[in-house]
Amino acid sequence: MTKTALVVSAHSADFVWRAGGAIALHAAKGFRVTVICLSFGERGESAKLWRLPGMTLDRVKSERQAEAAAAAKHLNVHDIQFWDLGDYPMELTREHLFRMVDVYRTIRPSFVMTHSRQDPYNFDHPMTNEFAQHARVIAQAHGHNPEQKVIGAPQVYLYEPHQTERSSWNPNVLMSIDSVWPQKRAAIECMAGQEHLWDYYTRVAMNRGNQTARNSEQTCTYGEAYEAVFPHVVESLA
Amino acid sequence: MTKTALVVSAHSADFVWRAGGAIALHAAKGFRVTVICLSFGERGESAKLWRLPGMTLDRVKSERQAEAAAAAKHLNVHDIQFWDLGDYPMELTREHLFRMVDVYRTIRPSFVMTHSRQDPYNFDHPMTNEFAQHARVIAQAHGHNPEQKVIGAPQVYLYEPHQTERSSWNPNVLMSIDSVWPQKRAAIECMAGQEHLWDYYTRVAMNRGNQTARNSEQTCTYGEAYEAVFPHVVESLA
Amino acid sequence: MTKTALVVSAHSADFVWRAGGAIALHAAKGFRVTVICLSFGERGESAKLWRLPGMTLDRVKSERQAEAAAAAKHLNVHDIQFWDLGDYPMELTREHLFRMVDVYRTIRPSFVMTHSRQDPYNFDHPMTNEFAQHARVIAQAHGHNPEQKVIGAPQVYLYEPHQTERSSWNPNVLMSIDSVWPQKRAAIECMAGQEHLWDYYTRVAMNRGNQTARNSEQTCTYGEAYEAVFPHVVESLA
Amino acid sequence: MTKTALVVSAHSADFVWRAGGAIALHAAKGFRVTVICLSFGERGESAKLWRLPGMTLDRVKSERQAEAAAAAKHLNVHDIQFWDLGDYPMELTREHLFRMVDVYRTIRPSFVMTHSRQDPYNFDHPMTNEFAQHARVIAQAHGHNPEQKVIGAPQVYLYEPHQTERSSWNPNVLMSIDSVWPQKRAAIECMAGQEHLWDYYTRVAMNRGNQTARNSEQTCTYGEAYEAVFPHVVESLA
Amino acid sequence: MTKTALVVSAHSADFVWRAGGAIALHAAKGFRVTVICLSFGERGESAKLWRLPGMTLDRVKSERQAEAAAAAKHLNVHDIQFWDLGDYPMELTREHLFRMVDVYRTIRPSFVMTHSRQDPYNFDHPMTNEFAQHARVIAQAHGHNPEQKVIGAPQVYLYEPHQTERSSWNPNVLMSIDSVWPQKRAAIECMAGQEHLWDYYTRVAMNRGNQTARNSEQTCTYGEAYEAVFPHVVESLA
Amino acid sequence: MTKTALVVSAHSADFVWRAGGAIALHAAKGFRVTVICLSFGERGESAKLWRLPGMTLDRVKSERQAEAAAAAKHLNVHDIQFWDLGDYPMELTREHLFRMVDVYRTIRPSFVMTHSRQDPYNFDHPMTNEFAQHARVIAQAHGHNPEQKVIGAPQVYLYEPHQTERSSWNPNVLMSIDSVWPQKRAAIECMAGQEHLWDYYTRVAMNRGNQTARNSEQTCTYGEAYEAVFPHVVESLA
């Protein structure tokens, strides 16, 4: 049976910078990866577009959607959904929460990726963290739509925020993304509206790569780092 | 080539309560596990023996050594070494540090296990943590005995202290030890001098087992928990 | 005048596992203990019931209520209230908050017990913590129903969550519950729907008992642990 | 061009005890300081008024407003606004959030002052922190009222809560307020309803003054302490 | 049998500022309180004396001893010992550690008071913390001078450092010292060499008094705050 | 009078990667910067040299010294001292501590830079932190060489460790080093033995530059980040 993964992204570009390597890597391993973009980041993360004359909210959204869809293609995302819930601030209702529970129940992901618990630079990110984790726990509840099968206990990985130390984020998992780096870089380059971040996140990837090498005995040029929320259940310590 | 693991234990019983499952499990997987007991716990952890009439330090030590050796046999420890460095307090010199570096260089462990960084109930435990981790870093230094081959970057797992919350210990790895539980319990029962702890650590194992099940989708009765010091370098998040 | 205590429980079984000893012990000392169950845990904590054929939400609720009422009787709870606010997620409105304030003003508890501030396994628990603490502070406000008498500053004790270390919960109070253990165990056994937790929380009690003994000079077999939110105001340090 | 600062105060007295020195000092330097009092603290922080016979909510509010206005005059506040949003609990809606964004966009403050992130004694304080910081981030969003100019990245200073250690507040900025102490004391003495706090916050000021001296090489009698949320961007380390 | 308490003070004035109230209060309750001054603070805490012409290390020491002895008399200290181990830095050897163990074994204190675990302003303070706690644990060891009776598990209270928030010190115990305040102030005034701290610690006492009142329902003018290292073992939560 | 700064570096390259920008920048402002290299990193940080045939400890040291001296020249270091105290592990005695105190007393630095408090990858770094901070406090002691003038309270900045999140290091100061970047890069390129780190620390500089821009309203390409140990004493919050 095909394995799956779920990425819950506050804005339509977050999954690229922060989890693009993990997505492409698992797609290459045969996982079907679903990405939910709760918003387009149309208000708060589209500065460059807003500087163009005659820009409207709808045009920003459609540009951002096109960028994200193109990036998703590079990463071999199986399904990308744009929920268009607004940003700065997001408004996440009980109804959206249950919609996300349905996603969990349908996809049954092997693991989940989302934002850090804190971020003084961005209030949508911790809100998305809470939302994604809360829905996961409800999807485990036998009394929620009892005719459906509950999910198990997929690990939740928090991907890298902008300034890690100020966001109380401490990575305990590192992964080489060398084999998919060209895809991630291509996806990054789809983000025409945030060109100033292309090289920023390339450097992040290279330094995480260095740390990946240092913490193992493999060579590694590009890496990604994550904080696992739950203990790892392992069968061997080696 | 045979894989190896290294356990650095402050007193001669610590490796049993805290890492007995991991030791037996990896022995069963073919690992050669070396256990270094820095002391016998002869002064601080042998209350029952000291209540016997006519007890001497030497007799306590030999009783404790016999117990630990018997326990090690149940766990299929490959090599158990008693360094007899004293306890309450330990005295760990530069010379001992280099001796431990030699152990790292000789054994070349796939992973290391030792005590937590803090423990207000026991000052030998954090001292052992510092000692074991410091030696590991020196064993990585190319200029230390440059004719020898340096070691890589083996993960260090901190095993469970007596009262976890007061020892700033937060487990991020859980492992089922169901398959080796009879061995661990048999090893525990070798510790005649600390019979009051037999059931304590059995209950710890059962509750960690419950948590292992809850954090995964497997059944588990007996578990052990560890805090990994370094990020995990993984090839998949699933 | 009769002393009172207040326990705010997210689901109808929480007060049993986590605070059953404290409740029975204070009842035996003459305290009138009120337990508020905000929900029955009907959706999220009733897996076993939902596996029965033809189960409905109403039947789950009434089974859970019957279990909790029976447990409360064993613990000599003075008053148990079922607010039926739903679970997974709870919905706690301003109106419910003021209703809880009324409880504080009416009961005037000597101390309060509720959940931990964090719990990645359960989002109703931290919500209940916030709710119970918030209501306490409003009950202290002279301008809230100014014709009523404000309450003083009762200590708030956070009782034990499922996995303590992952819930940022650090107990600073331990109490022997030996004298009431048979009652707590009897109450636990009322929880027919969660039989898998009976022995889990028995083991928790035994290990907290061991820690209680170790941190004092008394013998103790069964204990409970709590985190006090506010500084203790004492008259002696001994 | 005139520089400005923004203070977001949960209740109408908070800005006096906690930030009065900073306000007066910057007014003296030529800053226009705007203070937003989200509520009057009419329910939760007006105990003394409520003890008067025949007191009503409206009378409490108008007394508290008069006190705060008088205090603001002593501190040379440029503009003090009373939003009257209620207290214990506050209710802060999306509409209020956008109103606060408008304040940021209009004032364009060089720095912002508000409450600590946690406070177990007071739930309005962390709510105000979240509110003030959230509005700041939205004011940075190009897509929010795109015809307006976004703000830059003003530092946010968290001023001193009642019991610092229990509020996870750790000051990393100290400032001598010697030159404006008479003004701050005069402002404090406007707070007729909370006379028990006059000397409390005077002593806080004197001990922070001592720490200011100890951490520098200047003399200082009265000080204030703040936690800066964001890294300081400096041009010199001396 | 007479109850006892032990205070381990890095320098000869620390016990006065930080624990003077607790000492006098327990003396009044009939406790015999022993104070160990590891050093006189002759190098690092005697600035005023060193400004006098012709000052020598011996004269500083004898002045400081006389001050501390006079203060101890005001507080009704039972026994004050000056170990004269040097300061800035202290040198604490294995021999001193065993001497401290002897003190524990002889006095058998009901509780212990010492410095905080961290203090960036003073390196002797954390060293004294480690020393006092380490000796306590050795005094519990049956194999240390096995002919003596081991001690139980006396609580350790960390008294207030200079700048609490920077010293990772979080008080969880507050105590009114109103009944002995005149004695504490008299003891403080014995410290001729540190007159600049008299009012500083008076203000600390008054603000801790305010917090004592706020956290209880008693009136209180002067208080002291402590961090208890170990969980409190209690018999009632009220 | 000329201002000065002091950098205490565990190994002879640390000051370059971690503080090179700050050094060059302050040299350009007219500061005389003294760098103390406690060791050459000859054993633990010279892997490349040790791979050369016939390498000896002395040759490694002289190569490392030459590299560091050349780098210091690029940064306009006023005085670089090589104390040759050994590495992996360092041995820092009381005598060395007093020698460092002399440096503080002689130089009288406006600020100090050194390593982070923790680093699981390197035990010399936290040891150097403790050493540099301890000496600073002794240099403040009036009784240490009382004929000399004590120092004031220079800020201590902890520069960036290899993996920040695992080293409990949280930067609260950012500085643009654009104006001196060519010098820092030239200094970095002197480190022939650690070429693999040239680009690593260039990327660190570029990402800290991005964060510097984001936290201010200036443009910035290259930055450095530091954690200030003590509160900043400021005269304005703007």
Side-chain angles (χ1 to χ4, degrees):
Chain A
M1 198 190 131
T2 309
K3 288 196 161 183
T4 59
L6 173 63
V7 182
V8 187
S9 180
H11 312 107
S12 59
D14 288 321
F15 74 94
V16 180
W17 321 112
R18 309 181 194 293
I23 293 168
L25 202 74
H26 286 84
K29 288 176 192 286
F31 282 69
R32 291 192 174 165
V33 183
T34 295
V35 176
I36 311 287
C37 296
L38 297 180
S39 81
F40 298 104
E42 62 272 17
R43 287 165 40 92
E45 315 217 327
S46 305
K48 203 173 158 191
L49 290 169
W50 284 108
R51 286 200 201 91
L52 301 179
M55 188 53 59
T56 64
L57 200 65
D58 281 346
R59 270 192 56 205
V60 171
K61 285 187 190 179
S62 65
E63 296 265 359
R64 295 276 294 176
Q65 175 163 352
E67 287 176 11
K73 196 161 293 178
H74 283 293
L75 301 173
N76 292 324
V77 167
H78 172 70
D79 180 27
I80 182 163
Q81 303 180 17
F82 300 98
W83 286 18
D84 193 11
L85 304 182
D87 72 328
Y88 283 65
M90 281 186 176
E91 279 217 289
L92 302 173
T93 65
R94 192 178 177 84
E95 179 191 7
H96 302 138
L97 186 62
F98 288 149
R99 182 175 168 196
M100 183 58 74
V101 175
D102 287 342
V103 171
Y104 275 96
R105 289 271 177 96
T106 308
I107 289 179
R108 314 186 69 74
S110 293
F111 64 93
V112 183
M113 309 191 82
T114 191
H115 292 271
S116 59
R117 272 170 291 229
Q118 295 182 24
D119 188 342
Y121 298 99
N122 193 308
F123 283 72
D124 293 346
H125 290 174
M127 222 183 280
T128 299
N129 170 288
E130 172 97 5
F131 180 75
Q133 288 212 63
H134 197 164
R136 173 184 170 278
V137 167
I138 297 174
Q140 294 174 324
H142 286 77
H144 178 79
N145 296 347
E147 69 287 359
Q148 298 173 350
K149 199 179 153 205
V150 300
I151 65 164
Q155 179 62 276
V156 178
Y157 294 100
L158 311 181
Y159 42 57
E160 182 150 354
H162 178 71
Q163 189 170 340
T164 63
E165 303 93 355
R166 290 277 139 184
S167 301
S168 299
W169 177 85
N170 195 329
N172 48 22
V173 174
L174 291 167
M175 193 166 65
S176 171
I177 56 166
D178 282 355
S179 64
V180 295
W181 174 252
Q183 290 169 256
K184 177 164 180 176
R185 178 71 197 195
I188 283 176
E189 293 185 9
C190 295
M191 298 295 138
Q194 290 166 294
E195 197 173 340
H196 62 294
L197 292 178
W198 296 6
D199 288 346
Y200 185 87
Y201 284 105
T202 299
R203 292 188 299 262
V204 166
M206 294 180 79
N207 284 15
R208 294 296 177 196
N210 179 302
Q211 293 168 3
T212 301
R214 180 159 180 177
N215 282 283
S216 63
E217 290 161 69
Q218 62 184 99
T219 59
C220 177
T221 303
Y222 299 97
E224 278 179 353
Y226 322 101
E227 178 175 332
V229 171
F230 298 98
H232 291 281
V233 176
V234 300
E235 286 172 24
S236 162
L237 299 175
Chain B
M1 200 190 129
T2 310
K3 288 198 162 182
T4 60
L6 173 63
V7 181
V8 187
S9 180
H11 311 108
S12 58
D14 287 321
F15 73 93
V16 180
W17 321 112
R18 309 183 194 292
I23 292 169
L25 202 74
H26 286 83
K29 287 176 192 286
F31 282 69
R32 291 194 175 165
V33 182
T34 295
V35 175
I36 311 287
C37 297
L38 297 180
S39 81
F40 298 103
E42 61 272 17
R43 286 163 43 89
E45 314 216 327
S46 305
K48 202 173 159 191
L49 290 170
W50 283 108
R51 287 199 201 93
L52 300 179
M55 189 52 60
T56 64
L57 200 65
D58 280 347
R59 271 190 56 203
V60 172
K61 285 186 190 179
S62 65
E63 296 264 1
R64 295 276 293 177
Q65 176 162 351
E67 287 175 11
K73 197 160 292 177
H74 282 294
L75 302 173
N76 292 324
V77 167
H78 172 70
D79 180 26
I80 182 163
Q81 303 181 16
F82 299 99
W83 287 19
D84 194 11
L85 303 182
D87 72 327
Y88 283 66
M90 281 185 175
E91 279 217 288
L92 302 173
T93 66
R94 192 177 176 87
E95 180 191 7
H96 303 137
L97 186 62
F98 288 150
R99 183 174 167 195
M100 184 58 75
V101 175
D102 287 343
V103 172
Y104 275 96
R105 289 269 176 96
T106 307
I107 289 179
R108 314 187 69 72
S110 293
F111 64 91
V112 183
M113 310 191 81
T114 192
H115 292 270
S116 60
R117 272 169 290 231
Q118 295 182 24
D119 188 344
Y121 298 99
N122 193 308
F123 283 71
D124 294 346
H125 291 175
M127 224 183 280
T128 299
N129 171 286
E130 172 98 5
F131 181 75
Q133 289 211 62
H134 197 164
R136 173 183 170 279
V137 168
I138 297 175
Q140 295 174 325
H142 286 77
H144 178 78
N145 296 346
E147 68 287 359
Q148 299 172 351
K149 199 178 155 205
V150 300
I151 65 164
Q155 180 61 276
V156 179
Y157 294 100
L158 311 182
Y159 42 57
E160 181 150 354
H162 178 71
Q163 189 170 342
T164 62
E165 303 94 355
R166 290 275 139 184
S167 300
S168 299
W169 178 85
N170 194 332
N172 48 23
V173 174
L174 290 167
M175 192 167 64
S176 170
I177 57 166
D178 282 355
S179 63
V180 295
W181 174 251
Q183 290 169 255
K184 178 164 180 176
R185 177 73 197 195
I188 282 177
E189 293 186 7
C190 295
M191 298 295 138
Q194 290 166 295
E195 198 172 340
H196 62 294
L197 292 178
W198 294 7
D199 287 346
Y200 185 87
Y201 282 105
T202 298
R203 291 187 300 263
V204 166
M206 293 181 79
N207 284 15
R208 293 298 177 195
N210 178 303
Q211 292 168 3
T212 301
R214 182 159 178 177
N215 281 283
S216 63
E217 291 162 69
Q218 63 184 99
T219 60
C220 176
T221 304
Y222 298 96
E224 277 180 352
Y226 321 102
E227 179 174 333
V229 171
F230 298 97
H232 291 281
V233 176
V234 300
E235 286 171 23
S236 163
L237 299 175
Chain C
M1 198 190 132
T2 309
K3 289 197 161 182
T4 59
L6 173 63
V7 182
V8 187
S9 181
H11 312 107
S12 58
D14 287 321
F15 74 94
V16 180
W17 322 112
R18 308 183 194 291
I23 292 168
L25 202 74
H26 285 84
K29 287 176 193 285
F31 282 69
R32 291 192 175 167
V33 183
T34 295
V35 175
I36 311 288
C37 297
L38 297 180
S39 80
F40 297 104
E42 63 271 17
R43 287 165 39 92
E45 315 215 328
S46 305
K48 201 172 158 190
L49 290 169
W50 284 108
R51 287 199 200 93
L52 300 179
M55 188 51 60
T56 64
L57 200 65
D58 280 346
R59 270 191 58 203
V60 172
K61 285 186 190 180
S62 66
E63 296 263 0
R64 295 276 295 177
Q65 176 162 350
E67 287 176 10
K73 196 160 293 178
H74 283 293
L75 301 173
N76 292 324
V77 166
H78 172 70
D79 181 25
I80 183 163
Q81 303 181 16
F82 299 99
W83 286 19
D84 194 11
L85 304 181
D87 72 327
Y88 283 65
M90 280 186 176
E91 279 217 287
L92 302 172
T93 66
R94 192 177 177 87
E95 180 191 7
H96 302 138
L97 185 63
F98 288 150
R99 182 174 168 197
M100 183 59 73
V101 175
D102 287 342
V103 171
Y104 274 97
R105 288 270 177 96
T106 307
I107 288 180
R108 314 187 68 74
S110 293
F111 64 92
V112 183
M113 309 191 81
T114 193
H115 292 271
S116 60
R117 273 170 290 230
Q118 295 182 25
D119 188 343
Y121 298 99
N122 193 309
F123 283 71
D124 293 346
H125 291 174
M127 223 183 280
T128 299
N129 170 287
E130 172 97 5
F131 181 74
Q133 288 211 63
H134 198 163
R136 172 184 171 278
V137 168
I138 296 174
Q140 294 174 323
H142 286 77
H144 177 79
N145 297 346
E147 69 287 359
Q148 298 172 350
K149 200 179 154 204
V150 300
I151 65 163
Q155 180 60 276
V156 178
Y157 295 99
L158 311 182
Y159 42 58
E160 181 150 355
H162 178 71
Q163 189 170 340
T164 62
E165 303 94 355
R166 290 277 139 184
S167 301
S168 299
W169 178 84
N170 194 331
N172 49 22
V173 174
L174 291 167
M175 193 167 63
S176 170
I177 57 167
D178 282 355
S179 65
V180 295
W181 174 252
Q183 290 169 257
K184 179 164 179 177
R185 177 72 197 195
I188 282 176
E189 294 186 7
C190 295
M191 297 295 138
Q194 289 165 294
E195 199 174 339
H196 63 293
L197 292 179
W198 295 6
D199 288 346
Y200 185 87
Y201 282 106
T202 298
R203 291 188 301 262
V204 166
M206 294 181 80
N207 284 14
R208 292 299 177 196
N210 178 302
Q211 293 168 4
T212 300
R214 182 160 180 177
N215 282 283
S216 63
E217 292 162 67
Q218 61 184 96
T219 59
C220 177
T221 304
Y222 299 96
E224 278 180 353
Y226 321 101
E227 178 175 332
V229 170
F230 298 98
H232 291 282
V233 177
V234 300
E235 287 172 23
S236 162
L237 299 175
Chain D
M1 199 190 130
T2 310
K3 288 196 162 182
T4 60
L6 173 63
V7 182
V8 187
S9 181
H11 312 108
S12 59
D14 287 321
F15 74 93
V16 180
W17 321 112
R18 309 183 194 293
I23 293 168
L25 202 75
H26 285 84
K29 288 176 191 286
F31 282 69
R32 291 192 175 166
V33 182
T34 295
V35 175
I36 310 288
C37 297
L38 297 181
S39 80
F40 298 103
E42 62 272 17
R43 287 165 40 92
E45 315 216 326
S46 304
K48 202 173 157 190
L49 290 169
W50 284 107
R51 287 201 200 92
L52 300 179
M55 188 53 59
T56 63
L57 200 65
D58 280 346
R59 271 191 56 204
V60 172
K61 286 186 189 179
S62 66
E63 296 265 0
R64 294 276 293 177
Q65 175 163 352
E67 286 176 9
K73 195 160 294 179
H74 283 294
L75 301 172
N76 292 324
V77 167
H78 172 69
D79 181 25
I80 182 164
Q81 303 180 17
F82 300 98
W83 286 19
D84 194 10
L85 304 181
D87 72 327
Y88 283 66
M90 282 186 173
E91 279 217 288
L92 302 172
T93 65
R94 192 177 176 86
E95 179 190 8
H96 302 138
L97 185 63
F98 288 150
R99 183 175 168 196
M100 184 57 74
V101 175
D102 286 343
V103 172
Y104 275 97
R105 289 269 176 97
T106 307
I107 289 179
R108 312 188 69 74
S110 293
F111 64 92
V112 183
M113 309 191 80
T114 193
H115 292 271
S116 59
R117 272 170 291 229
Q118 295 182 25
D119 188 343
Y121 298 99
N122 193 308
F123 283 72
D124 293 346
H125 291 174
M127 224 184 280
T128 299
N129 170 286
E130 172 98 4
F131 181 75
Q133 288 211 63
H134 197 164
R136 172 183 171 279
V137 168
I138 297 175
Q140 295 174 324
H142 286 77
H144 178 79
N145 296 347
E147 68 287 0
Q148 298 173 351
K149 199 179 153 204
V150 300
I151 65 164
Q155 180 60 276
V156 178
Y157 294 100
L158 310 182
Y159 42 57
E160 181 150 353
H162 178 71
Q163 189 171 341
T164 62
E165 303 94 354
R166 289 277 139 183
S167 301
S168 299
W169 177 85
N170 195 329
N172 48 22
V173 173
L174 290 166
M175 192 166 64
S176 171
I177 58 167
D178 282 356
S179 64
V180 295
W181 174 251
Q183 290 169 256
K184 178 163 180 177
R185 178 72 197 195
I188 282 176
E189 293 185 8
C190 296
M191 299 294 138
Q194 290 165 294
E195 199 173 338
H196 63 294
L197 292 178
W198 295 7
D199 288 345
Y200 185 87
Y201 283 105
T202 299
R203 293 188 300 263
V204 166
M206 294 181 79
N207 283 16
R208 293 298 177 196
N210 179 301
Q211 293 168 4
T212 301
R214 181 159 180 178
N215 281 284
S216 63
E217 291 161 69
Q218 62 184 98
T219 59
C220 178
T221 304
Y222 300 96
E224 277 178 353
Y226 321 102
E227 178 175 332
V229 171
F230 298 98
H232 291 281
V233 176
V234 300
E235 286 172 21
S236 161
L237 299 175
Chain E
M1 199 189 132
T2 310
K3 288 197 162 182
T4 59
L6 172 62
V7 182
V8 187
S9 181
H11 312 109
S12 59
D14 287 322
F15 73 94
V16 180
W17 320 113
R18 308 183 194 292
I23 293 169
L25 201 75
H26 286 83
K29 287 176 191 286
F31 282 69
R32 291 193 176 166
V33 183
T34 295
V35 175
I36 311 287
C37 297
L38 297 180
S39 81
F40 298 103
E42 62 272 15
R43 286 164 42 92
E45 314 217 326
S46 304
K48 201 173 160 190
L49 290 169
W50 284 109
R51 288 201 200 91
L52 301 179
M55 189 51 59
T56 64
L57 200 65
D58 281 345
R59 271 191 56 204
V60 172
K61 285 186 189 179
S62 65
E63 296 264 0
R64 295 276 293 178
Q65 175 162 352
E67 288 175 11
K73 197 160 291 178
H74 283 295
L75 301 173
N76 292 323
V77 168
H78 172 69
D79 180 25
I80 182 163
Q81 302 181 16
F82 299 99
W83 287 19
D84 195 11
L85 304 182
D87 73 326
Y88 283 65
M90 280 186 176
E91 279 217 287
L92 301 173
T93 66
R94 192 176 175 86
E95 181 191 6
H96 302 138
L97 185 63
F98 288 149
R99 183 175 167 194
M100 184 58 76
V101 174
D102 287 342
V103 171
Y104 275 96
R105 289 271 176 95
T106 307
I107 288 179
R108 314 187 69 73
S110 292
F111 64 91
V112 183
M113 309 191 81
T114 193
H115 292 271
S116 59
R117 273 169 291 230
Q118 295 183 24
D119 189 343
Y121 297 100
N122 193 308
F123 283 71
D124 293 346
H125 291 174
M127 224 183 280
T128 298
N129 170 288
E130 171 97 4
F131 181 74
Q133 289 211 61
H134 197 163
R136 172 184 171 280
V137 168
I138 297 175
Q140 294 174 324
H142 286 77
H144 178 79
N145 295 347
E147 68 288 358
Q148 298 173 350
K149 199 179 155 204
V150 300
I151 65 164
Q155 179 61 275
V156 179
Y157 294 100
L158 310 183
Y159 41 58
E160 181 150 354
H162 179 71
Q163 189 170 342
T164 62
E165 302 94 354
R166 290 277 139 183
S167 300
S168 299
W169 177 85
N170 195 330
N172 48 23
V173 174
L174 290 166
M175 193 166 63
S176 170
I177 58 167
D178 281 356
S179 64
V180 295
W181 173 252
Q183 290 169 255
K184 179 164 179 176
R185 178 71 197 195
I188 282 176
E189 293 186 8
C190 295
M191 299 294 137
Q194 290 166 293
E195 199 173 340
H196 62 294
L197 292 178
W198 296 6
D199 288 347
Y200 184 88
Y201 283 106
T202 297
R203 292 187 301 263
V204 166
M206 294 181 79
N207 284 15
R208 292 300 177 194
N210 179 301
Q211 292 168 4
T212 300
R214 182 161 179 178
N215 282 283
S216 63
E217 291 162 68
Q218 62 183 96
T219 60
C220 177
T221 305
Y222 300 96
E224 278 179 352
Y226 321 101
E227 178 175 333
V229 171
F230 298 98
H232 290 283
V233 176
V234 301
E235 287 173 21
S236 162
L237 299 175
Chain F
M1 200 189 129
T2 310
K3 288 197 163 182
T4 59
L6 173 63
V7 182
V8 187
S9 180
H11 311 109
S12 58
D14 287 322
F15 74 95
V16 179
W17 321 112
R18 308 184 194 293
I23 293 169
L25 202 74
H26 285 84
K29 287 175 192 287
F31 282 68
R32 292 192 175 165
V33 183
T34 295
V35 175
I36 311 287
C37 297
L38 297 181
S39 81
F40 297 103
E42 62 272 18
R43 287 165 41 91
E45 315 217 325
S46 303
K48 202 175 160 190
L49 289 169
W50 284 108
R51 288 200 200 92
L52 300 179
M55 189 51 61
T56 65
L57 200 65
D58 280 347
R59 272 191 56 204
V60 172
K61 285 186 189 179
S62 66
E63 296 264 0
R64 294 277 293 177
Q65 176 162 353
E67 287 176 11
K73 198 161 291 178
H74 283 294
L75 301 173
N76 292 324
V77 167
H78 172 69
D79 181 25
I80 182 164
Q81 303 180 16
F82 299 99
W83 287 20
D84 194 10
L85 304 182
D87 72 328
Y88 283 65
M90 282 187 174
E91 278 217 288
L92 302 173
T93 67
R94 193 178 176 86
E95 180 190 6
H96 303 138
L97 186 62
F98 288 150
R99 182 174 168 196
M100 184 57 75
V101 175
D102 287 343
V103 171
Y104 274 97
R105 289 271 176 95
T106 306
I107 289 179
R108 312 187 70 72
S110 293
F111 65 90
V112 183
M113 309 190 82
T114 192
H115 292 270
S116 59
R117 273 169 291 230
Q118 294 182 26
D119 188 342
Y121 298 100
N122 192 309
F123 283 71
D124 294 345
H125 291 174
M127 225 183 279
T128 299
N129 171 287
E130 171 97 5
F131 180 75
Q133 288 212 62
H134 197 165
R136 173 183 170 280
V137 168
I138 296 175
Q140 294 175 324
H142 287 77
H144 178 79
N145 296 347
E147 68 287 359
Q148 299 173 351
K149 200 178 154 205
V150 300
I151 66 163
Q155 180 61 275
V156 178
Y157 294 100
L158 310 182
Y159 42 58
E160 180 150 354
H162 178 71
Q163 188 170 341
T164 63
E165 302 95 354
R166 291 275 140 185
S167 300
S168 299
W169 177 86
N170 195 329
N172 49 23
V173 174
L174 291 166
M175 192 167 64
S176 170
I177 57 167
D178 282 356
S179 64
V180 295
W181 174 252
Q183 291 169 254
K184 178 163 180 176
R185 178 71 198 195
I188 282 175
E189 293 186 7
C190 295
M191 298 295 137
Q194 289 166 294
E195 200 173 338
H196 61 295
L197 293 178
W198 295 7
D199 288 346
Y200 185 88
Y201 283 105
T202 298
R203 292 187 300 261
V204 166
M206 294 181 79
N207 283 16
R208 294 298 177 195
N210 179 301
Q211 293 168 3
T212 300
R214 181 158 179 178
N215 281 284
S216 64
E217 290 161 69
Q218 62 183 98
T219 59
C220 178
T221 305
Y222 300 96
E224 277 179 353
Y226 321 102
E227 178 175 332
V229 171
F230 298 99
H232 291 281
V233 177
V234 300
E235 287 173 21
S236 162
L237 299 175

